[in-house]
Amino acid sequence: MSYDPYANLPSAASFSLTSSDLREGERLAMPQVSRIFGAGGEDVSPQLSWSGFPAETKSFVVTMCDPEAPTVTGFWHWAVLNIPANVTELPAGAGAESGSGLPPSAFQLPNDARLKGYVGAGPPEGTGRHRYIFAVLALAAEKIEIDREATPALLMFSLFSGTLGRAFLEGWYER
């Protein structure tokens, strides 16, 4: 069963999200696959670039989720917030737990594995093809005030009405 984790949100402008490490609709490469979940990868977040977002954007949030995870709500692999509006790219590996590849004001929330950083694709064997949705949200707020131990779900709840635009890039993985 699959679902769209963004389907019930208020409408927002769309803009462009690209990557030198991932193409829309393609299988994730091994660097973006999980080592932590035993899938043989490296847990390296892909390079991401975005453009065409609303002019009034004051900050960005970047997330990655697996809506096909065998849970009721999917699985959040990555959540970065408080990326300044003048930053339109994250380099490969920006999701390292150290956060050293992120702008100084940005930080990562614990993902659903409770790690502060990017955890790559690692669907349980036999569960079929899973989609991995990378999203960049353009926000009206310069800074999101949220506890640094909050969950990505709480972050998304807090952004319900403050999102100006969304950009998506989707890959898949299966084992």
Side-chain angles (χ1 to χ4, degrees):
M1 181 169 130
S2 72
Y3 80 103
D4 178 354
Y6 298 93
N8 293 324
L9 299 179
S11 63
S14 63
F15 58 98
S16 176
L17 175 58
T18 60
S19 173
S20 60
D21 299 321
L22 172 65
R23 301 285 178 266
E24 178 68 29
E26 291 186 1
R27 183 181 175 107
L28 272 69
M30 287 313 287
Q32 287 78 52
V33 172
S34 183
R35 172 186 47 78
I36 293 167
F37 292 138
E42 301 171 30
D43 292 305
V44 175
S45 60
Q47 181 277 339
L48 298 172
S49 300
W50 51 94
S51 61
F53 46 87
E56 59 274 19
T57 299
K58 294 188 177 161
S59 70
F60 297 102
V61 164
V62 173
T63 64
M64 178 190 144
C65 71
D66 169 4
E68 273 82 51
T71 69
V72 175
T73 59
F75 192 94
W76 291 96
H77 286 254
W78 194 29
V80 183
L81 60 151
N82 295 343
I83 300 170
N86 66 344
V87 174
T88 59
E89 177 180 7
L90 291 179
E97 278 194 84
S98 68
S100 61
L102 299 174
S105 60
F107 65 94
Q108 302 174 108
L109 294 176
N111 55 40
D112 282 349
R114 302 310 297 155
L115 302 170
K116 289 185 181 181
Y118 174 89
V119 172
E125 290 186 44
T127 61
R129 182 184 282 200
H130 288 228
R131 293 177 298 143
Y132 292 88
I133 302 170
F134 292 87
V136 176
L137 310 178
L139 305 180
E142 193 171 305
K143 187 176 181 183
I144 302 301
E145 298 291 343
I146 193 169
D147 186 296
R148 287 178 180 249
E149 298 301 317
T151 64
L154 182 60
L155 170 65
M156 296 305 290
F157 179 80
S158 70
L159 302 178
F160 184 78
S161 62
T163 302
L164 302 171
R166 295 182 193 95
F168 302 102
L169 183 60
E170 186 177 308
W172 63 271
Y173 195 75
E174 179 178 7
R175 59 179 179 149

